[in-house]
Amino acid sequence: MSDLLHHLIDQLEAVYGGKRWIIATDVLAGARGTTHWLQQLGAEAVLCIASSRGAGPAPDEDFAPNPIVFNVAGQDMMSSVRLSAKLLADLPAEARARVDAFDPQRTARVIGTIFDDGRPVGDRRKYGARPQAWQDLEDKTVIDQVWDDIGVPREPCEVVAAHDFDALLAASARLDQGAGTVWAADQREGFHGGASYTRRVTNDAQARVVFDLFGPHAD
């Protein structure tokens, strides 16, 4: 192992070692890797809280026993993500009691998901959270102005009213360099991922499908 790697591991152990951690996530199976590394870095104990079990191996119960799993999920990926965020930010009384029993000194920190909005879980603060104001910049209708202001090159784009089909077609034609264009809805309903409101459009028929899909959900 190189000196640099030793140094980095020492730094991580100083942050994560000797402490109790709560992993709050949408899918329990997705916490297995994080739990493993917390153990390797000398964490004292881990409590996992998840909205659903998910597929694949769960975290090692010898190190993270008795996870709290609510077994709730939405109709699709984004509704599940939003449902999970709401649930974890406002735990039921029984789950809060479990958190207090795990962390009676109230010193544990919470590790959330990569799309977490930073709200506490069981009155325990998130570690490494991304504030909502940061996430708001990821809106495609906002971020390009940021890139322009700081001189970061980007692909050409236009912001067009979601209810104006002709304007959308015209913008797509102006931007198309021969491989079609990518249409993305705004974040009126919150951030979205997993291509829930992002589509490639290569012809008018596809454009109509995307227009009908995005119209009720974006401005």
Side-chain angles (χ1 to χ4, degrees), residues 144 154 156-160 167 170-172 174-175:
D144 286 317
R154 61 173 177 84
C157 76
E158 296 188 26
V159 179
V160 184
S172 189
R174 287 190 293 271
L175 294 170

Side-chain angles (χ1 to χ4, degrees), residues 141-160:
T141 65
V142 174
I143 192 59
D144 286 317
Q145 185 61 54
V146 176
W147 301 146
D148 292 346
D149 290 346
I150 62 178
V152 175
R154 61 173 177 84
E155 292 300 312
C157 76
E158 296 188 26
V159 179
V160 184

Side-chain angles (χ1 to χ4, degrees), residues 12-217:
L12 291 171
E13 287 176 342
V15 172
Y16 294 103
K19 301 181 182 70
R20 289 182 164 249
W21 291 90
I22 298 167
I23 299 178
T25 186
D26 52 340
V27 178
L28 178 65
R32 182 176 175 85
T34 303
T35 303
H36 169 77
W37 282 110
L38 286 172
Q39 184 176 19
Q40 295 299 306
L41 293 169
E44 181 181 321
V46 169
L47 173 65
C48 294
I49 309 175
S51 297
S52 62
R53 167 64 174 75
D60 183 357
E61 288 219 19
D62 289 338
F63 180 64
N66 303 317
I68 300 172
V69 183
F70 295 105
N71 294 316
V72 297
Q75 295 180 337
D76 53 32
M77 187 193 80
M78 285 312 305
S79 63
S80 294
V81 166
R82 294 188 178 109
L83 179 63
S84 174
K86 182 178 180 180
L87 178 62
L88 294 170
D90 187 18
L91 294 176
E94 183 178 349
R96 292 174 68 90
R98 287 276 311 277
V99 171
D100 290 341
F102 171 78
D103 177 39
Q105 303 300 320
R106 305 184 71 83
T107 58
R109 282 291 190 88
V110 180
I111 297 176
T113 62
I114 60 171
F115 40 77
D116 196 281
D117 60 12
R119 286 180 288 180
V121 174
D123 295 327
R124 274 71 174 178
R125 292 176 58 194
K126 292 276 176 54
Y127 180 78
R130 295 158 61 232
Q132 187 62 46
W134 297 5
Q135 296 197 37
D136 290 343
L137 293 177
E138 296 177 17
D139 190 328
K140 183 60 176 169
T141 65
V142 174
I143 192 59
D144 286 317
Q145 185 61 54
V146 176
W147 301 146
D148 292 346
D149 290 346
I150 62 178
V152 175
R154 61 173 177 84
E155 292 300 312
C157 76
E158 296 188 26
V159 179
V160 184
H163 66 271
D164 192 333
F165 185 63
D166 290 338
L168 287 163
L169 283 181
S172 189
R174 287 190 293 271
L175 294 170
D176 192 350
Q177 300 177 19
T181 54
V182 175
W183 294 19
D186 62 26
Q187 294 187 186
R188 188 180 77 186
E189 297 180 350
F191 84 95
H192 51 84
S196 53
Y197 292 134
T198 304
R199 295 290 189 278
R200 180 188 178 198
V201 173
T202 60
N203 56 56
D204 289 1
Q206 290 178 349
R208 173 60 68 175
V209 172
V210 176
F211 173 76
D212 292 340
L213 173 64
F214 288 3
H217 304 284

